[in-house]
Amino acid sequence: MEKFGQETWDKLSSLPGVQDTFMTYTVYDDILTIRLVQEACSLLGVPAEVLLKLFGEHFFTFCKQAGYDTMLRTLGGNLVEFIGNLDALHSYLALSYQEMNAPSFRVEMTDDGKMLLHYYSDRKGLYHIVPGIMEAVARDFFDSQVSMVVLNQSEEDERTGKKEHVVFLVNQTNQAGKTSEEQDSTCTEVGGGPEYCKYYADRCVSPAGKKSGWDLIRAGVLHQRTFIPCYPDKLWMEEKAFCDAFPFHIVFDENLKVRQTGVNIQKFVPGLQAVEATLDQHFTIVHPQVTFNIESIRKFINSQFVLKAYKDKHTVLKLRGQMLWMDSLGCMLYLCSPKLRSLEELRDVGLHLSDLAQHDVTRDLVLLNQQRLAEMELTNQLERKKEELRILSRHLEDEKQKTETLLYAMLPRHIANQLKDGKSVEAGQSVSTWSPSRTSVPYFQTKMETFFFFGVLEVETIETHAHRVANFALAMRIAAREVTNPVTGKPIQIRVGIHTGPVLAGVVGEKMPRYCLFGDTVNTASRMESHGVPDRIHLSASAYSELKDAGFDIQERGQIEVKGKGQMITYFLLGNPMLSEDSIMGREAGGICLYREELPGLMETEDGTAPPDPARSAPATPFAWDITPPYQTNDSSCSAPADNNSRLCVLL
């Protein structure tokens, strides 16, 4: 969304197989990630490596904004130290995100001074994220530019299992244009003393002439490199005191034979007290996932090691710490502490806070993380409730649209809007309305409702000419002949009655409002239909007077007796010589729907005004009827009607 906008994300999240929402503390399968990347690349038209690199840059910014800025800045005084401590950061984050499957990093300096970055991951295909992150880190934290090239990509053979191993060649250039090798040589030439301090003081001056706080800290860290430590001639510490002070430590030789252990680790793993005990008999390496031998351990000496031991089938103790190689003794010191996430885990492994050394920060870490886990659970619950509300809101909006659609189908839009606003609707007069009666055949009704749209609406006020309804009636008669009665197998025949006159229109009812027409005109239209002839359009004298000069073919029926009306002279509408049947039905090639120029105006906007006419700016769409049966019928379940005639009364 930041790089390509909200609209792009909306398009992407609407694609099949792409999840549109993600919870912060929920673990998702990598299949979703890969699919999301693939669909994004297809939508944006960019290669996967470009998209993943952009994501790496954004992820670094996201982490800073999420509150990890200070933590990230203190990982190291230079890029090498920063990378070397990433595994330790991931180990800390794993206390909160227990199921996090983080990658591992290792820096290797070649004999010719080049920097190689080894990237290990259980998740294939995502290594292009790394250059994006490292370039952003170097630019933001160390005022330098980094370029990275993939030297090798293979299945990892240094670690157990088939893991992805990618080797990057890293070239770092500072703001002055010097590479890391040239910068190191400059430091050597400057040396220590006042010149050394002046050199780094000059480096910390910003273009505005002011020193940045982080630059001063970084310069101080670099200055410490000139410090030469002093070591005692012998270790002034008793063996017992050492084992008590560091209750969780192990010393083992090149053959992994245990030479020394802390007092509390012996309590948990008594087998370490055996004379010929080896480390791999009682522990497995969890991180980094290297083969359990001294060569692999020394290769990852700068990584944080996590070892796992089983006290019994149900009790597992994980140790976390660093490896230190003692060259003079040919032994490795594993200085560690229990890896615990909460007080519950402390209790489950059979330990107490008193078993941890006073100087061990694991004490404070367990207590702090206990509180953080509770906060995370609360945040997770709130996030889920928020997502549930979002989904409910979306469904509510959908249902609202359906309700409004139904309301506008029942009532004129301006009447419906008045009711929605809580206003009363006064009755009014209408002289140009039409209202079809119920058909006697449900199948026919369902079928015919998909046929007709001639610029007239059911129970809707329209101020247009009488020939609209006449053409509409002709089209209904044509369409009815194409509809077969599923019981008799014969075409449907309809009777249509048309009458012109004033009516009273208004909304009746409060709980179930209905838009109704009242008056003698309604009754007369019904009489024209009921006294009509199948497959004929019956006109009253007033309807005839409106149509006689409009070019229609009309035949006088004569004087007939009409129930409740007495003697009336009526007429039959035979056709429209000016239009062919295909033209009336919109079937002619290139033909348009009759009165299409005014169709949009029939559906008013929210303010009651007619929307602009799209017919003037867009090509007309040919009009076509759908005459496919809407459902299958069962002859045995249908009762045959008395005849094949349907009734429709039209009021004009």
Side-chain angles (χ1 to χ4, degrees):
M1 288 188 287
E2 181 181 296
K3 296 289 184 182
F4 303 101
Q6 178 70 42
E7 183 178 352
T8 303
W9 168 248
D10 292 339
K11 290 181 181 179
L12 179 61
S13 59
S14 64
L15 295 175
V18 176
Q19 187 160 324
D20 60 343
T21 56
F22 296 90
M23 299 294 174
T24 304
Y25 302 109
T26 302
V27 179
Y28 297 94
D29 196 290
D30 280 344
I31 295 177
L32 292 176
T33 305
I34 299 299
R35 185 177 301 161
L36 181 61
V37 172
Q38 292 172 345
E39 295 293 350
C41 292
S42 177
L43 179 65
L44 299 173
V46 298
E49 53 267 26
V50 174
L51 185 68
L52 290 174
K53 185 176 180 181
L54 283 173
F55 172 75
E57 296 177 0
H58 174 77
F59 182 70
F60 171 68
T61 304
F62 171 79
C63 290
K64 292 198 304 178
Q65 295 173 348
Y68 294 98
D69 181 51
T70 303
M71 183 183 299
L72 291 172
R73 289 182 182 274
T74 55
L75 285 184
N78 54 54
L79 185 60
V80 175
E81 295 175 354
F82 178 90
I83 297 174
N85 283 286
L86 279 178
D87 283 12
L89 174 62
H90 290 154
S91 179
Y92 164 74
L93 294 177
L95 295 175
S96 300
Y97 303 92
Q98 186 175 11
E99 298 182 58
M100 181 179 70
N101 187 8
S104 181
F105 298 89
R106 178 171 66 90
V107 175
E108 176 186 355
M109 303 302 297
T110 63
D111 295 337
D112 54 358
K114 294 182 179 179
M115 182 195 304
L116 300 180
L117 173 59
H118 294 261
Y119 165 82
Y120 306 89
S121 177
D122 296 334
R123 310 165 71 188
K124 292 186 178 181
L126 302 178
Y127 63 91
H128 290 292
I129 296 176
V130 178
I133 295 177
M134 295 305 167
E135 291 178 13
V137 169
R139 182 171 57 250
D140 197 329
F141 288 173
F142 307 113
D143 300 324
S144 60
Q145 300 295 324
V146 163
S147 61
M148 300 178 64
V149 179
V150 176
L151 293 184
N152 186 29
Q153 178 188 0
S154 62
E155 298 292 344
E156 178 52 36
D157 55 2
E158 296 173 340
R159 313 190 329 169
T160 57
K162 295 182 179 179
K163 314 298 180 183
E164 187 171 56
H165 176 201
V166 181
V167 181
F168 295 93
L169 174 62
V170 183
N171 183 28
Q172 184 179 10
T173 306
N174 59 22
Q175 287 184 333
K178 294 183 179 181
T179 63
S180 55
E181 296 92 330
E182 293 172 342
Q183 183 177 343
D184 291 340
S185 63
T186 303
C187 295
T188 304
E189 294 171 1
V190 173
E195 294 84 359
Y196 184 87
C197 295
K198 183 177 182 304
Y199 170 75
Y200 280 104
D202 293 340
R203 285 190 63 225
C204 293
V205 177
S206 65
K210 297 182 179 180
K211 296 180 179 179
S212 165
W214 285 109
D215 287 337
L216 290 174
I217 294 175
R218 190 181 304 120
V221 173
L222 293 173
H223 177 65
Q224 293 298 323
R225 293 178 179 175
T226 62
F227 170 74
I228 301 176
C230 178
Y231 297 102
D233 295 333
K234 67 174 183 178
L235 184 63
W236 291 86
M237 189 172 189
E238 297 177 349
E239 290 82 354
K240 181 179 181 300
F242 186 88
C243 292
D244 289 337
F246 301 97
F248 293 93
H249 81 274
I250 305 174
V251 177
F252 55 96
D253 61 18
E254 295 179 343
N255 297 318
L256 304 181
K257 184 177 180 180
V258 177
R259 296 295 185 179
Q260 177 181 313
T261 57
V263 292
N264 285 341
I265 200 172
Q266 296 177 30
K267 184 192 305 181
F268 190 88
V269 189
L272 294 176
Q273 296 176 334
V275 178
E276 299 296 329
T278 59
L279 194 62
D280 56 351
Q281 289 177 340
H282 304 280
F283 291 92
T284 57
I285 300 179
V286 177
H287 180 83
Q289 295 179 359
V290 297
T291 52
F292 213 143
N293 57 57
I294 200 67
E295 291 79 13
S296 297
I297 294 175
R298 292 190 63 179
K299 183 179 292 186
F300 287 81
I301 193 71
N302 293 324
S303 299
Q304 186 178 76
F305 277 77
V306 177
L307 270 59
K308 178 171 64 175
Y310 290 90
K311 183 177 182 180
D312 52 49
K313 292 183 178 180
H314 306 288
T315 307
V316 179
L317 175 65
K318 289 184 179 180
L319 300 175
R320 178 182 60 186
Q322 70 176 122
M323 296 286 185
L324 296 173
W325 176 249
M326 299 177 289
D327 194 53
S328 61
L329 299 177
C331 291
M332 186 77 73
L333 168 63
Y334 181 45
L335 197 59
C336 57
S337 299
K339 183 181 180 181
L340 303 168
R341 299 180 68 246
S342 63
L343 295 175
E344 286 76 12
E345 288 190 6
L346 180 72
R347 180 189 59 200
D348 292 342
V349 297
L351 295 176
H352 301 85
L353 287 177
S354 59
D355 294 322
L356 306 177
Q358 293 288 342
H359 61 81
D360 194 342
V361 295
T362 304
R363 282 170 165 256
D364 299 328
L365 194 60
V366 170
L367 295 174
L368 290 174
N369 201 56
Q370 179 75 21
Q371 180 181 358
R372 172 163 172 76
L373 290 175
E375 294 174 352
M376 286 175 55
E377 178 60 27
L378 179 60
T379 302
N380 193 24
Q381 293 179 7
L382 292 175
E383 197 173 30
R384 290 184 180 277
K385 291 297 182 183
K386 180 181 177 181
E387 177 60 17
E388 290 176 3
L389 289 175
R390 187 189 71 83
I391 295 175
L392 288 175
S393 177
R394 184 176 62 188
H395 290 169
L396 181 61
E397 185 64 28
D398 293 340
E399 294 301 320
K400 179 183 177 182
Q401 292 295 331
K402 294 178 182 178
T403 302
E404 290 185 351
T405 301
L406 178 60
L407 184 61
Y408 292 147
M410 296 170 55
L411 304 174
R413 184 174 289 266
H414 67 283
I415 298 295
N417 289 337
Q418 292 182 43
L419 292 176
K420 285 170 56 180
D421 295 337
K423 300 177 182 178
S424 60
V425 181
E426 297 182 358
Q429 275 196 338
S430 173
V431 295
S432 295
T433 61
W434 72 275
S435 174
S437 67
R438 288 185 180 272
T439 175
S440 60
V441 182
Y443 172 80
F444 169 76
Q445 181 181 14
T446 305
K447 183 66 183 175
M448 299 300 288
E449 285 175 353
T450 66
F451 278 170
F452 308 117
F453 194 9
F454 266 69
V456 291
L457 296 177
E458 181 178 353
V459 197
E460 176 72 52
T461 298
I462 53 170
E463 298 176 2
T464 53
H465 303 291
H467 63 268
R468 290 177 178 268
V469 172
N471 283 324
F472 174 61
L474 292 172
M476 285 193 293
R477 189 176 64 176
I478 296 171
R481 295 170 183 169
E482 300 176 2
V483 179
T484 302
N485 189 314
V487 178
T488 65
K490 298 179 180 180
I492 292 291
Q493 290 184 323
I494 65 172
R495 295 194 304 261
V496 180
I498 302 178
H499 177 60
T500 299
V503 294
L504 185 66
V507 178
V508 178
E510 294 183 356
K511 293 184 178 180
M512 297 181 62
R514 297 176 59 191
Y515 190 70
C516 300
L517 303 178
F518 303 94
D520 184 65
T521 302
V522 179
N523 297 331
T524 304
S526 177
R527 294 293 182 265
M528 290 298 99
E529 176 271 316
S530 61
H531 288 71
V533 179
D535 201 33
R536 290 295 188 95
I537 302 171
H538 199 194
L539 305 178
S540 67
S542 60
Y544 166 75
S545 64
E546 295 289 338
L547 297 174
K548 63 182 180 179
D549 298 325
F552 289 93
D553 184 7
I554 302 176
Q555 174 187 343
E556 182 178 348
R557 183 182 184 184
Q559 194 171 28
I560 63 172
E561 179 71 23
V562 178
K563 182 180 179 181
K565 298 293 181 181
Q567 295 292 322
M568 293 183 63
I569 298 176
T570 61
Y571 304 82
F572 286 129
L573 174 61
L574 304 180
N576 186 347
M578 301 176 61
L579 297 172
S580 65
E581 287 191 358
D582 287 341
S583 179
I584 292 176
M585 300 297 291
R587 293 170 177 167
E588 285 188 347
I592 63 173
C593 175
L594 294 178
Y595 320 114
R596 187 188 192 282
E597 70 280 1
E598 294 186 19
L599 290 180
L602 296 175
M603 302 303 292
E604 299 171 357
T605 58
E606 293 293 334
D607 57 2
T609 61
D613 183 8
R616 299 178 181 177
S617 59
T621 303
F623 200 89
W625 303 117
D626 176 14
I627 59 173
T628 56
Y631 52 82
Q632 299 296 327
T633 59
N634 187 344
D635 294 343
S636 62
S637 62
C638 298
S639 57
D643 53 42
N644 293 330
N645 302 329
S646 275
R647 302 188 307 159
L648 185 68
C649 93
V650 176
L651 184 65
L652 179 64

